[in-house]
C-alpha cells in the first residue's frame, strides 16, 4: 500500500472489495449511480459523490465510517471523508 494520507487510511490493513456491483440504496429507490465506493469498516458498497444521491458520503456521515475504497475495476485507491485524504494502494 502507498504511504497513507491520514490516520484513518493508515489503519486500513486489508482493503475490502465490493460484494456487489450496485448501490443497494439506489436500487431501493429506483435511482441511478455514476461510480461505486466500498466502506472499509462495514463493507457496504454505495454510490459516489458524483451520483445524484451521494449514498457513500451520507453513510460516512451517519455511521462514522470514514474510509471508502473505489469499487470500480482497475481503480486502487482509498479516500477518507473527514480528512479529505486520498491514497493509492
Amino acid at each position: 500500500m502507498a504511504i497513507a494520507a491520514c490516520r484513518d487510511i493508515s489503519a486500513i490493513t486489508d482493503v475490502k472489495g465490493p460484494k456487489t456491483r450496485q448501490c443497494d440504496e439506489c436500487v431501493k429507490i429506483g435511482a441511478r449511480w455514476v461510480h461505486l465506493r466500498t466502506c472499509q469498516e462495514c463493507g457496504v458498497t454505495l454510490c459516489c459523490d458524483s451520483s445524484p444521491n451521494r449514498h457513500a458520503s451520507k453513510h460516512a456521515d451517519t455511521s462514522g465510517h470514514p474510509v471508502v475504497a473505489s469499487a470500480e475495476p482497475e481503480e486502487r485507491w482509498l479516500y477518507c471523508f473527514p480528512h479529505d485524504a486520498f491514497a493509492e494502494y
Side-chain angles (χ1 to χ4, degrees):
M1 185 178 303
I3 296 172
C6 74
R7 69 178 180 271
D8 294 318
I9 289 175
S10 295
I12 305 297
T13 58
D14 186 31
V15 176
K16 291 177 177 67
K19 294 176 184 159
T20 63
R21 296 277 182 205
Q22 66 181 25
C23 174
D24 288 338
E25 295 303 313
C26 283
V27 170
K28 286 179 190 176
I29 61 173
R32 295 181 185 256
W33 57 87
V34 178
H35 296 289
L36 298 169
R37 310 292 180 238
T38 301
C39 175
Q40 293 303 290
E41 192 154 329
C42 69
V44 66
T45 299
L46 299 166
C47 62
C48 71
D49 281 358
S50 295
S51 301
N53 292 293
R54 304 177 59 187
H55 286 120
S57 61
K58 289 177 182 175
H59 173 76
D61 288 343
T62 60
S63 68
H65 300 169
V67 180
V68 293
S70 175
E72 297 301 312
E74 308 302 319
E75 291 184 1
R76 297 178 55 84
W77 54 261
L78 298 166
Y79 179 75
C80 177
F81 286 102
H83 296 116
D84 189 26
F86 174 88
E88 294 181 332
Y89 65 93

